[in-house]
Amino acid sequence: GILGSLLRPPHNYPPSSLAYIKPATQCEQTQLVTQYCNKHGIQACPVGPIVYYQGFTRAFLNGETAHTSLDLLEQVYAAVNDVARGKDVVIIDGVGY
């Protein structure tokens, strides 16, 4: 994957210069990418501030969630900036739709 290719030639990034974050997800179970990061010493935030539970979209559109769009964006911004501090490359993973 991308992280592995960044660790190898021609890039040769040290693990301490890489980070991975998935700021929005449906799955809170440990993913293979998290295991890879842990094994290789890459800082990871596998479950970010937004977790899409069943019915989230409908509840959000109906104004039934605790956070506004701006709140969620600010939480993602803060989480990405936190994991990116001092890193050369940050992989920001999407939800996958």
Side-chain angles (χ1 to χ4, degrees), residues 81-96:
N81 280 333
D82 184 52
V83 78
R85 195 168 292 115
K87 305 302 179 189
D88 294 322
V89 179
V90 178
I91 304 299
I92 303 171
D93 197 349
V95 176

Side-chain angles (χ1 to χ4, degrees), residues 4 12-13 15 20 32 37-38 40 42-43 51 57-59 62 69 73 75-79 82-83 86-87 95:
N12 292 320
Y13 282 97
Y20 167 85
L32 289 176
C37 288
N38 292 339
H40 293 280
I42 298 170
Q43 183 176 349
V51 177
T57 301
R58 184 174 308 280
N62 289 335
S69 294
L73 288 172
Q75 290 174 19
V76 168
Y77 181 80
D82 184 52
V83 78
K87 305 302 179 189
V95 176

Side-chain angles (χ1 to χ4, degrees), residues 3 20 22 30-39 44 46 91 93:
L3 289 167
Y20 167 85
K22 188 169 182 91
T30 302
Q31 301 295 304
L32 289 176
V33 67
T34 304
Q35 294 172 7
Y36 183 87
C37 288
N38 292 339
K39 178 180 177 182
I91 304 299
D93 197 349

Side-chain angles (χ1 to χ4, degrees), residues 49-80:
I50 302 174
V51 177
Y52 296 112
Y53 55 85
Q54 185 173 2
F56 176 88
T57 301
R58 184 174 308 280
F60 183 82
L61 293 174
N62 289 335
E64 299 167 352
T65 59
H67 302 288
T68 66
S69 294
L70 183 57
D71 293 336
L72 296 174
L73 288 172
E74 288 174 347
Q75 290 174 19
V76 168
Y77 181 80
V80 170

